[in-house]
Amino acid sequence: MKNFLAGLFFAMLWASASAATKIGLLSAQPFVIGTCRFFLAGILMMIYSHLVKKNPLPKAKEWKQIAIYGFLNVTVYLGCFVVALKYVSAGIGSLAVATNPLIISILSAFWLGRSVKRTEIVGLALGIIGVAIATYPLFQQSYANVEGLLILSASMIAYSIGTVYYSAQEWHLPLFTINAWQVLLGGIFLLPITYYFTDWSQNVYDVNFSMSVLWLAIPVSIGAVQLWLYLLKIDPVKASLWLFLNPIFGFIYAAVILNEPISSFTYIGTSLVIAGLYLAQREKLNS
């Protein structure tokens, strides 16, 4: 029951990021939301890691490893993600996130020098087709555009590269410490971009902004990530099953909180993405 609840809460929290970001965008510009989120989450986690748990600081090459991981996983991935949500619906954002395991399986094959399995290629194709189908009617209703989808795609690729990089490194630090520093360093790398591209007069630091940043920093960046790391530690294969729920919860949040439309295209597209996820990971799940 403990593991079941951990997986369920992970899926619910992780899928809420898109809706929370859309709420924040009502009041502030993308990079401002992202930078505030990363600094708040990073500082809170560092206080816990180093002052409460007395974990050691990174040493030597660990700084380089964390910096690269933070740049890919936070600066590029989440930086692009929050910008993309200016142009696409929260539901599509959640659906796109669900394709990450498909992209990761392909990239890891090239990284490790193994041949790409047919099921992985078909799974990725189903995922891309599924997103395209779910997105199609939203173009006509101004809930998505090509620019947003391209930025969203860049975001997913950056996350997948970061994940493959992380898995290829030898780590000696506690997971909580790695998460704390990669989030903070990712925020630091985003600072000059935020300064250059932000029109500060367009930001309103109201309830929408505050609640968005607090939710993204604490329940998502800290809570969801720690639940995910816990699930990976228990059983990496079973942990991946909870990713199947992300697009479902994502569309529920988008419809209930943001009044975004759900149609037959949504159901068909989401089903194809989930089918692609299952097909690409079927051998792992059955082993």
Side-chain angles (χ1 to χ4, degrees), residues 54-120:
K54 307 296 183 182
N55 291 329
L57 289 169
K59 298 177 182 179
K61 70 173 185 178
E62 291 173 335
W63 285 111
K64 178 181 178 181
Q65 291 174 314
I66 294 176
I68 294 174
Y69 182 49
F71 177 75
L72 291 168
N73 195 52
V74 175
T75 309
V76 182
Y77 163 51
L78 292 175
C80 287
F81 186 76
V82 71
V83 172
L85 285 179
K86 282 186 64 177
Y87 308 105
V88 302
S89 70
I92 292 302
S94 297
L95 188 61
V97 170
T99 65
N100 277 328
L102 303 174
I103 303 173
I104 290 169
S105 65
I106 301 294
L107 289 178
S108 63
F110 288 107
W111 190 290
L112 299 174
R114 66 171 176 82
S115 59
V116 180
K117 298 177 182 177
R118 182 178 301 176
T119 54
E120 292 173 330

Short mmCIF file of all heavy atoms in Angstrom, two decimals, residues 54-120:
data_model
loop_
_atom_site.label_atom_id
_atom_site.label_comp_id
_atom_site.label_asym_id
_atom_site.label_seq_id
_atom_site.Cartn_x
_atom_site.Cartn_y
_atom_site.Cartn_z
N LYS A 54 23.30 16.90 7.27
CA LYS A 54 24.77 16.98 7.33
C LYS A 54 25.45 16.22 6.18
O LYS A 54 26.53 15.65 6.35
CB LYS A 54 25.29 16.43 8.67
CG LYS A 54 24.65 17.05 9.90
CD LYS A 54 24.94 18.53 10.02
CE LYS A 54 24.35 19.10 11.31
NZ LYS A 54 24.58 20.57 11.45
N ASN A 55 24.81 16.22 5.01
CA ASN A 55 25.41 15.57 3.85
C ASN A 55 26.62 16.37 3.36
O ASN A 55 26.64 17.60 3.49
CB ASN A 55 24.40 15.45 2.71
CG ASN A 55 23.30 14.45 3.03
OD1 ASN A 55 23.52 13.48 3.73
ND2 ASN A 55 22.10 14.70 2.51
N PRO A 56 27.64 15.70 2.81
CA PRO A 56 28.83 16.41 2.34
C PRO A 56 28.54 17.22 1.07
O PRO A 56 27.61 16.91 0.33
CB PRO A 56 29.81 15.28 2.04
CG PRO A 56 28.93 14.11 1.70
CD PRO A 56 27.73 14.24 2.60
N LEU A 57 29.36 18.23 0.85
CA LEU A 57 29.26 19.02 -0.39
C LEU A 57 29.85 18.22 -1.54
O LEU A 57 30.67 17.31 -1.33
CB LEU A 57 30.02 20.33 -0.24
CG LEU A 57 29.42 21.38 0.69
CD1 LEU A 57 30.44 22.50 0.94
CD2 LEU A 57 28.15 21.96 0.09
N PRO A 58 29.45 18.54 -2.78
CA PRO A 58 30.07 17.88 -3.94
C PRO A 58 31.58 18.14 -3.95
O PRO A 58 32.06 19.17 -3.47
CB PRO A 58 29.37 18.55 -5.13
CG PRO A 58 28.09 19.06 -4.58
CD PRO A 58 28.37 19.47 -3.18
N LYS A 59 32.33 17.21 -4.53
CA LYS A 59 33.78 17.35 -4.60
C LYS A 59 34.26 17.19 -6.04
O LYS A 59 33.67 16.47 -6.84
CB LYS A 59 34.45 16.28 -3.73
CG LYS A 59 34.11 16.38 -2.25
CD LYS A 59 34.77 15.24 -1.48
CE LYS A 59 34.41 15.31 0.00
NZ LYS A 59 35.02 14.17 0.77
N ALA A 60 35.34 17.89 -6.36
CA ALA A 60 36.06 17.73 -7.62
C ALA A 60 35.14 17.60 -8.83
O ALA A 60 34.37 18.49 -9.13
CB ALA A 60 37.02 16.54 -7.51
N LYS A 61 35.20 16.44 -9.51
CA LYS A 61 34.45 16.26 -10.75
C LYS A 61 32.95 16.23 -10.55
O LYS A 61 32.18 16.36 -11.51
CB LYS A 61 34.90 15.00 -11.48
CG LYS A 61 34.48 13.70 -10.80
CD LYS A 61 34.82 12.50 -11.68
CE LYS A 61 34.30 11.20 -11.08
NZ LYS A 61 34.58 10.03 -11.96
N GLU A 62 32.50 16.05 -9.29
CA GLU A 62 31.07 16.01 -9.02
C GLU A 62 30.42 17.35 -9.35
O GLU A 62 29.26 17.40 -9.76
CB GLU A 62 30.81 15.63 -7.55
CG GLU A 62 31.17 14.18 -7.25
CD GLU A 62 31.06 13.86 -5.76
OE1 GLU A 62 31.18 14.80 -4.94
OE2 GLU A 62 30.87 12.67 -5.43
N TRP A 63 31.16 18.44 -9.17
CA TRP A 63 30.63 19.76 -9.51
C TRP A 63 30.33 19.84 -11.01
O TRP A 63 29.29 20.36 -11.43
CB TRP A 63 31.61 20.87 -9.12
CG TRP A 63 31.67 21.15 -7.67
CD1 TRP A 63 32.71 20.89 -6.81
CD2 TRP A 63 30.63 21.74 -6.87
NE1 TRP A 63 32.39 21.28 -5.54
CE2 TRP A 63 31.12 21.81 -5.54
CE3 TRP A 63 29.36 22.21 -7.15
CZ2 TRP A 63 30.36 22.35 -4.50
CZ3 TRP A 63 28.60 22.74 -6.11
CH2 TRP A 63 29.10 22.81 -4.81
N LYS A 64 31.25 19.30 -11.82
CA LYS A 64 31.05 19.31 -13.27
C LYS A 64 29.86 18.44 -13.64
O LYS A 64 29.03 18.82 -14.49
CB LYS A 64 32.31 18.80 -13.98
CG LYS A 64 32.19 18.73 -15.49
CD LYS A 64 33.46 18.20 -16.13
CE LYS A 64 33.31 18.08 -17.65
NZ LYS A 64 34.54 17.52 -18.28
N GLN A 65 29.75 17.27 -13.04
CA GLN A 65 28.64 16.36 -13.33
C GLN A 65 27.30 17.02 -13.01
O GLN A 65 26.36 16.99 -13.81
CB GLN A 65 28.79 15.06 -12.52
CG GLN A 65 29.95 14.18 -12.93
CD GLN A 65 30.12 13.00 -12.00
OE1 GLN A 65 30.08 13.15 -10.77
NE2 GLN A 65 30.31 11.82 -12.55
N ILE A 66 27.22 17.62 -11.82
CA ILE A 66 25.96 18.24 -11.41
C ILE A 66 25.65 19.45 -12.26
O ILE A 66 24.49 19.70 -12.61
CB ILE A 66 26.03 18.64 -9.91
CG1 ILE A 66 26.12 17.39 -9.05
CG2 ILE A 66 24.81 19.46 -9.52
CD1 ILE A 66 26.29 17.68 -7.57
N ALA A 67 26.68 20.21 -12.64
CA ALA A 67 26.47 21.40 -13.47
C ALA A 67 25.90 21.02 -14.83
O ALA A 67 24.95 21.66 -15.32
CB ALA A 67 27.78 22.17 -13.63
N ILE A 68 26.47 19.99 -15.45
CA ILE A 68 25.97 19.54 -16.76
C ILE A 68 24.55 19.02 -16.63
O ILE A 68 23.67 19.35 -17.44
CB ILE A 68 26.90 18.45 -17.34
CG1 ILE A 68 28.27 19.05 -17.67
CG2 ILE A 68 26.28 17.83 -18.60
CD1 ILE A 68 29.30 18.02 -18.12
N TYR A 69 24.32 18.21 -15.60
CA TYR A 69 22.98 17.66 -15.40
C TYR A 69 21.97 18.76 -15.11
O TYR A 69 20.86 18.77 -15.66
CB TYR A 69 23.03 16.66 -14.24
CG TYR A 69 21.71 15.98 -13.96
CD1 TYR A 69 20.96 15.40 -14.99
CD2 TYR A 69 21.19 15.89 -12.67
CE1 TYR A 69 19.76 14.78 -14.74
CE2 TYR A 69 19.99 15.26 -12.41
CZ TYR A 69 19.28 14.71 -13.44
OH TYR A 69 18.07 14.09 -13.19
N GLY A 70 22.34 19.73 -14.29
CA GLY A 70 21.45 20.84 -13.98
C GLY A 70 21.15 21.71 -15.20
O GLY A 70 20.02 22.17 -15.38
N PHE A 71 22.16 21.90 -16.04
CA PHE A 71 21.95 22.71 -17.24
C PHE A 71 20.96 22.03 -18.18
O PHE A 71 20.04 22.68 -18.70
CB PHE A 71 23.29 22.91 -17.96
CG PHE A 71 23.17 23.67 -19.26
CD1 PHE A 71 22.97 25.04 -19.26
CD2 PHE A 71 23.24 23.01 -20.48
CE1 PHE A 71 22.84 25.74 -20.45
CE2 PHE A 71 23.11 23.69 -21.67
CZ PHE A 71 22.92 25.07 -21.66
N LEU A 72 21.10 20.72 -18.36
CA LEU A 72 20.21 19.99 -19.27
C LEU A 72 18.83 19.79 -18.65
O LEU A 72 17.80 20.01 -19.31
CB LEU A 72 20.82 18.63 -19.61
CG LEU A 72 22.08 18.63 -20.48
CD1 LEU A 72 22.72 17.25 -20.50
CD2 LEU A 72 21.75 19.07 -21.90
N ASN A 73 18.80 19.37 -17.40
CA ASN A 73 17.56 18.95 -16.76
C ASN A 73 16.73 20.10 -16.21
O ASN A 73 15.51 19.96 -16.05
CB ASN A 73 17.88 17.97 -15.61
CG ASN A 73 16.67 17.22 -15.13
OD1 ASN A 73 15.96 16.61 -15.93
ND2 ASN A 73 16.43 17.24 -13.84
N VAL A 74 17.37 21.24 -15.95
CA VAL A 74 16.65 22.37 -15.37
C VAL A 74 16.66 23.57 -16.31
O VAL A 74 15.60 24.04 -16.75
CB VAL A 74 17.25 22.76 -13.99
CG1 VAL A 74 16.57 24.01 -13.44
CG2 VAL A 74 17.08 21.61 -13.01
N THR A 75 17.86 24.08 -16.63
CA THR A 75 17.94 25.29 -17.44
C THR A 75 17.28 25.11 -18.80
O THR A 75 16.41 25.91 -19.19
CB THR A 75 19.42 25.69 -17.65
OG1 THR A 75 20.09 25.74 -16.39
CG2 THR A 75 19.50 27.07 -18.31
N VAL A 76 17.66 24.07 -19.52
CA VAL A 76 17.14 23.88 -20.88
C VAL A 76 15.76 23.22 -20.85
O VAL A 76 14.80 23.74 -21.43
CB VAL A 76 18.11 23.03 -21.74
CG1 VAL A 76 17.56 22.91 -23.17
CG2 VAL A 76 19.48 23.68 -21.78
N TYR A 77 15.66 22.09 -20.17
CA TYR A 77 14.39 21.35 -20.16
C TYR A 77 13.25 22.18 -19.57
O TYR A 77 12.26 22.48 -20.24
CB TYR A 77 14.55 20.05 -19.37
CG TYR A 77 13.25 19.40 -18.94
CD1 TYR A 77 12.23 19.18 -19.86
CD2 TYR A 77 13.04 19.01 -17.62
CE1 TYR A 77 11.03 18.58 -19.46
CE2 TYR A 77 11.86 18.42 -17.22
CZ TYR A 77 10.85 18.21 -18.15
OH TYR A 77 9.67 17.64 -17.76
N LEU A 78 13.37 22.58 -18.32
CA LEU A 78 12.28 23.30 -17.67
C LEU A 78 12.17 24.74 -18.16
O LEU A 78 11.08 25.31 -18.18
CB LEU A 78 12.44 23.25 -16.15
CG LEU A 78 12.26 21.86 -15.54
CD1 LEU A 78 12.56 21.87 -14.04
CD2 LEU A 78 10.85 21.35 -15.79
N GLY A 79 13.31 25.33 -18.57
CA GLY A 79 13.26 26.67 -19.14
C GLY A 79 12.44 26.69 -20.42
O GLY A 79 11.56 27.54 -20.61
N CYS A 80 12.71 25.72 -21.30
CA CYS A 80 11.93 25.62 -22.55
C CYS A 80 10.49 25.22 -22.26
O CYS A 80 9.55 25.70 -22.93
CB CYS A 80 12.58 24.59 -23.48
SG CYS A 80 14.10 25.12 -24.26
N PHE A 81 10.30 24.36 -21.27
CA PHE A 81 8.95 23.87 -20.97
C PHE A 81 8.03 25.00 -20.54
O PHE A 81 6.89 25.10 -21.01
CB PHE A 81 9.03 22.81 -19.86
CG PHE A 81 7.72 22.14 -19.56
CD1 PHE A 81 7.21 21.18 -20.42
CD2 PHE A 81 6.99 22.46 -18.43
CE1 PHE A 81 6.00 20.55 -20.16
CE2 PHE A 81 5.79 21.85 -18.15
CZ PHE A 81 5.29 20.89 -19.02
N VAL A 82 8.51 25.88 -19.67
CA VAL A 82 7.66 26.97 -19.20
C VAL A 82 7.37 27.97 -20.31
O VAL A 82 6.29 28.55 -20.39
CB VAL A 82 8.29 27.66 -17.96
CG1 VAL A 82 9.51 28.45 -18.33
CG2 VAL A 82 7.28 28.54 -17.25
N VAL A 83 8.33 28.16 -21.23
CA VAL A 83 8.10 29.04 -22.38
C VAL A 83 7.08 28.41 -23.32
O VAL A 83 6.17 29.09 -23.83
CB VAL A 83 9.42 29.34 -23.13
CG1 VAL A 83 9.14 30.09 -24.44
CG2 VAL A 83 10.36 30.14 -22.26
N ALA A 84 7.21 27.11 -23.55
CA ALA A 84 6.29 26.41 -24.46
C ALA A 84 4.85 26.51 -24.00
O ALA A 84 3.92 26.60 -24.81
CB ALA A 84 6.71 24.95 -24.58
N LEU A 85 4.65 26.52 -22.68
CA LEU A 85 3.29 26.56 -22.16
C LEU A 85 2.60 27.91 -22.38
O LEU A 85 1.41 28.06 -22.11
CB LEU A 85 3.27 26.19 -20.68
CG LEU A 85 3.47 24.69 -20.39
CD1 LEU A 85 3.46 24.42 -18.90
CD2 LEU A 85 2.39 23.86 -21.08
N LYS A 86 3.34 28.89 -22.88
CA LYS A 86 2.70 30.13 -23.31
C LYS A 86 1.90 29.89 -24.58
O LYS A 86 0.95 30.61 -24.88
CB LYS A 86 3.75 31.22 -23.59
CG LYS A 86 4.33 31.89 -22.37
CD LYS A 86 5.23 33.03 -22.78
CE LYS A 86 4.46 34.14 -23.51
NZ LYS A 86 5.32 35.30 -23.85
N TYR A 87 2.30 28.87 -25.35
CA TYR A 87 1.74 28.66 -26.68
C TYR A 87 0.95 27.36 -26.83
O TYR A 87 0.30 27.15 -27.85
CB TYR A 87 2.88 28.67 -27.71
CG TYR A 87 3.77 29.87 -27.61
CD1 TYR A 87 5.05 29.79 -27.05
CD2 TYR A 87 3.34 31.12 -28.06
CE1 TYR A 87 5.87 30.90 -26.96
CE2 TYR A 87 4.16 32.23 -27.97
CZ TYR A 87 5.42 32.11 -27.41
OH TYR A 87 6.22 33.22 -27.32
N VAL A 88 1.05 26.47 -25.85
CA VAL A 88 0.31 25.21 -25.94
C VAL A 88 -0.49 25.00 -24.65
O VAL A 88 -0.19 25.59 -23.62
CB VAL A 88 1.23 23.99 -26.18
CG1 VAL A 88 2.04 24.17 -27.44
CG2 VAL A 88 2.15 23.77 -24.98
N SER A 89 -1.49 24.15 -24.70
CA SER A 89 -2.34 23.89 -23.54
C SER A 89 -1.59 23.08 -22.49
O SER A 89 -0.60 22.39 -22.79
CB SER A 89 -3.59 23.13 -23.98
OG SER A 89 -3.27 21.82 -24.37
N ALA A 90 -2.08 23.15 -21.25
CA ALA A 90 -1.49 22.38 -20.17
C ALA A 90 -1.62 20.88 -20.43
O ALA A 90 -0.72 20.09 -20.10
CB ALA A 90 -2.16 22.74 -18.84
N GLY A 91 -2.73 20.47 -21.03
CA GLY A 91 -2.94 19.05 -21.34
C GLY A 91 -1.90 18.52 -22.30
O GLY A 91 -1.35 17.42 -22.10
N ILE A 92 -1.61 19.30 -23.34
CA ILE A 92 -0.59 18.88 -24.30
C ILE A 92 0.79 18.84 -23.64
O ILE A 92 1.61 17.97 -23.93
CB ILE A 92 -0.57 19.83 -25.52
CG1 ILE A 92 -1.87 19.67 -26.31
CG2 ILE A 92 0.63 19.55 -26.42
CD1 ILE A 92 -2.13 18.28 -26.82
N GLY A 93 1.04 19.78 -22.73
CA GLY A 93 2.31 19.77 -22.01
C GLY A 93 2.49 18.48 -21.23
O GLY A 93 3.55 17.86 -21.26
N SER A 94 1.45 18.04 -20.53
CA SER A 94 1.50 16.80 -19.77
C SER A 94 1.65 15.59 -20.68
O SER A 94 2.37 14.64 -20.37
CB SER A 94 0.24 16.65 -18.91
OG SER A 94 0.13 17.68 -17.96
N LEU A 95 0.97 15.62 -21.80
CA LEU A 95 1.04 14.51 -22.75
C LEU A 95 2.44 14.39 -23.33
O LEU A 95 2.97 13.29 -23.50
CB LEU A 95 0.02 14.70 -23.87
CG LEU A 95 -0.17 13.53 -24.84
CD1 LEU A 95 -0.64 12.29 -24.10
CD2 LEU A 95 -1.16 13.90 -25.93
N ALA A 96 3.06 15.53 -23.63
CA ALA A 96 4.41 15.53 -24.18
C ALA A 96 5.41 14.96 -23.17
O ALA A 96 6.32 14.22 -23.54
CB ALA A 96 4.82 16.94 -24.60
N VAL A 97 5.24 15.31 -21.90
CA VAL A 97 6.13 14.79 -20.85
C VAL A 97 6.08 13.27 -20.81
O VAL A 97 7.09 12.61 -20.55
CB VAL A 97 5.74 15.39 -19.48
CG1 VAL A 97 6.48 14.68 -18.36
CG2 VAL A 97 6.06 16.88 -19.45
N ALA A 98 4.92 12.70 -21.09
CA ALA A 98 4.77 11.24 -21.06
C ALA A 98 5.58 10.55 -22.15
O ALA A 98 5.81 9.34 -22.08
CB ALA A 98 3.29 10.86 -21.19
N THR A 99 6.01 11.29 -23.18
CA THR A 99 6.81 10.68 -24.25
C THR A 99 8.29 10.59 -23.88
O THR A 99 9.07 9.98 -24.61
CB THR A 99 6.67 11.48 -25.56
OG1 THR A 99 7.23 12.79 -25.40
CG2 THR A 99 5.21 11.60 -25.97
N ASN A 100 8.68 11.20 -22.77
CA ASN A 100 10.10 11.20 -22.39
C ASN A 100 10.71 9.80 -22.32
O ASN A 100 11.82 9.58 -22.82
CB ASN A 100 10.30 11.93 -21.06
CG ASN A 100 10.39 13.43 -21.23
OD1 ASN A 100 10.88 13.92 -22.24
ND2 ASN A 100 9.91 14.17 -20.25
N PRO A 101 10.04 8.82 -21.68
CA PRO A 101 10.64 7.48 -21.63
C PRO A 101 10.90 6.89 -23.01
O PRO A 101 11.85 6.13 -23.20
CB PRO A 101 9.59 6.65 -20.86
CG PRO A 101 8.85 7.65 -20.05
CD PRO A 101 8.79 8.88 -20.91
N LEU A 102 10.05 7.24 -23.98
CA LEU A 102 10.24 6.74 -25.34
C LEU A 102 11.51 7.32 -25.96
O LEU A 102 12.31 6.61 -26.58
CB LEU A 102 9.03 7.10 -26.20
CG LEU A 102 7.67 6.61 -25.70
CD1 LEU A 102 6.55 7.16 -26.58
CD2 LEU A 102 7.62 5.10 -25.67
N ILE A 103 11.69 8.64 -25.78
CA ILE A 103 12.88 9.30 -26.32
C ILE A 103 14.13 8.80 -25.61
O ILE A 103 15.17 8.55 -26.23
CB ILE A 103 12.76 10.83 -26.18
CG1 ILE A 103 11.50 11.33 -26.88
CG2 ILE A 103 13.99 11.53 -26.77
CD1 ILE A 103 11.21 12.81 -26.65
N ILE A 104 14.02 8.62 -24.29
CA ILE A 104 15.16 8.15 -23.50
C ILE A 104 15.62 6.77 -23.97
O ILE A 104 16.82 6.50 -24.06
CB ILE A 104 14.81 8.12 -22.00
CG1 ILE A 104 14.66 9.56 -21.48
CG2 ILE A 104 15.87 7.38 -21.20
CD1 ILE A 104 14.07 9.64 -20.09
N SER A 105 14.67 5.88 -24.27
CA SER A 105 15.03 4.53 -24.69
C SER A 105 15.82 4.55 -26.00
O SER A 105 16.76 3.77 -26.18
CB SER A 105 13.78 3.66 -24.84
OG SER A 105 12.95 4.13 -25.89
N ILE A 106 15.45 5.45 -26.90
CA ILE A 106 16.17 5.57 -28.18
C ILE A 106 17.56 6.16 -27.96
O ILE A 106 18.57 5.64 -28.47
CB ILE A 106 15.38 6.45 -29.18
CG1 ILE A 106 14.00 5.85 -29.46
CG2 ILE A 106 16.17 6.61 -30.47
CD1 ILE A 106 14.01 4.53 -30.17
N LEU A 107 17.63 7.26 -27.18
CA LEU A 107 18.92 7.91 -26.94
C LEU A 107 19.88 7.01 -26.19
O LEU A 107 21.08 6.98 -26.48
CB LEU A 107 18.71 9.21 -26.17
CG LEU A 107 18.04 10.37 -26.92
CD1 LEU A 107 17.86 11.57 -25.99
CD2 LEU A 107 18.88 10.78 -28.12
N SER A 108 19.36 6.28 -25.20
CA SER A 108 20.24 5.40 -24.43
C SER A 108 20.81 4.28 -25.28
O SER A 108 21.94 3.83 -25.05
CB SER A 108 19.47 4.81 -23.24
OG SER A 108 18.40 4.00 -23.68
N ALA A 109 20.06 3.85 -26.29
CA ALA A 109 20.57 2.81 -27.19
C ALA A 109 21.79 3.32 -27.95
O ALA A 109 22.81 2.62 -28.06
CB ALA A 109 19.47 2.39 -28.17
N PHE A 110 21.71 4.54 -28.48
CA PHE A 110 22.86 5.12 -29.18
C PHE A 110 24.00 5.38 -28.22
O PHE A 110 25.17 5.17 -28.56
CB PHE A 110 22.44 6.42 -29.87
CG PHE A 110 21.57 6.20 -31.08
CD1 PHE A 110 20.22 6.51 -31.05
CD2 PHE A 110 22.10 5.69 -32.26
CE1 PHE A 110 19.41 6.31 -32.16
CE2 PHE A 110 21.31 5.49 -33.37
CZ PHE A 110 19.96 5.80 -33.32
N TRP A 111 23.69 5.86 -27.01
CA TRP A 111 24.71 6.19 -26.02
C TRP A 111 25.48 4.94 -25.60
O TRP A 111 26.71 4.97 -25.44
CB TRP A 111 24.05 6.84 -24.81
CG TRP A 111 25.00 7.44 -23.81
CD1 TRP A 111 25.84 6.77 -22.98
CD2 TRP A 111 25.21 8.83 -23.55
NE1 TRP A 111 26.55 7.65 -22.20
CE2 TRP A 111 26.19 8.92 -22.53
CE3 TRP A 111 24.66 10.00 -24.05
CZ2 TRP A 111 26.62 10.14 -22.02
CZ3 TRP A 111 25.09 11.21 -23.53
CH2 TRP A 111 26.06 11.28 -22.55
N LEU A 112 24.75 3.83 -25.41
CA LEU A 112 25.37 2.59 -24.95
C LEU A 112 25.87 1.72 -26.09
O LEU A 112 26.44 0.65 -25.86
CB LEU A 112 24.36 1.80 -24.10
CG LEU A 112 23.85 2.51 -22.84
CD1 LEU A 112 22.76 1.69 -22.17
CD2 LEU A 112 25.01 2.75 -21.86
N GLY A 113 25.62 2.15 -27.33
CA GLY A 113 26.12 1.42 -28.48
C GLY A 113 25.36 0.15 -28.80
O GLY A 113 25.89 -0.74 -29.47
N ARG A 114 24.13 0.03 -28.35
CA ARG A 114 23.33 -1.15 -28.68
C ARG A 114 22.36 -0.81 -29.81
O ARG A 114 22.09 0.35 -30.09
CB ARG A 114 22.54 -1.64 -27.46
CG ARG A 114 21.46 -0.69 -26.97
CD ARG A 114 20.61 -1.37 -25.90
NE ARG A 114 19.62 -0.46 -25.32
CZ ARG A 114 18.45 -0.20 -25.88
NH1 ARG A 114 18.11 -0.76 -27.04
NH2 ARG A 114 17.59 0.63 -25.31
N SER A 115 21.86 -1.83 -30.45
CA SER A 115 20.92 -1.61 -31.54
C SER A 115 19.56 -1.18 -30.99
O SER A 115 19.15 -1.62 -29.92
CB SER A 115 20.75 -2.89 -32.36
OG SER A 115 20.29 -3.95 -31.54
N VAL A 116 18.89 -0.33 -31.73
CA VAL A 116 17.57 0.14 -31.32
C VAL A 116 16.54 -0.93 -31.64
O VAL A 116 16.47 -1.43 -32.76
CB VAL A 116 17.20 1.45 -32.04
CG1 VAL A 116 15.82 1.94 -31.60
CG2 VAL A 116 18.25 2.52 -31.77
N LYS A 117 15.73 -1.29 -30.66
CA LYS A 117 14.73 -2.33 -30.86
C LYS A 117 13.55 -1.80 -31.67
O LYS A 117 13.22 -0.62 -31.60
CB LYS A 117 14.24 -2.85 -29.50
CG LYS A 117 15.35 -3.49 -28.67
CD LYS A 117 14.82 -3.91 -27.31
CE LYS A 117 15.94 -4.51 -26.46
NZ LYS A 117 15.47 -4.87 -25.10
N ARG A 118 12.95 -2.71 -32.43
CA ARG A 118 11.80 -2.33 -33.25
C ARG A 118 10.66 -1.79 -32.38
O ARG A 118 9.98 -0.84 -32.76
CB ARG A 118 11.31 -3.52 -34.06
CG ARG A 118 10.15 -3.20 -34.99
CD ARG A 118 9.75 -4.42 -35.80
NE ARG A 118 10.85 -4.90 -36.61
CZ ARG A 118 10.78 -6.01 -37.36
NH1 ARG A 118 9.67 -6.73 -37.38
NH2 ARG A 118 11.82 -6.39 -38.09
N THR A 119 10.46 -2.42 -31.22
CA THR A 119 9.38 -1.98 -30.34
C THR A 119 9.61 -0.55 -29.85
O THR A 119 8.66 0.21 -29.63
CB THR A 119 9.25 -2.91 -29.12
OG1 THR A 119 10.53 -3.03 -28.47
CG2 THR A 119 8.77 -4.28 -29.55
N GLU A 120 10.88 -0.16 -29.67
CA GLU A 120 11.19 1.19 -29.22
C GLU A 120 10.87 2.21 -30.33
O GLU A 120 10.32 3.28 -30.06
CB GLU A 120 12.67 1.29 -28.83
CG GLU A 120 13.01 0.49 -27.58
CD GLU A 120 14.50 0.46 -27.31
OE1 GLU A 120 15.29 0.51 -28.27
OE2 GLU A 120 14.87 0.35 -26.12
#
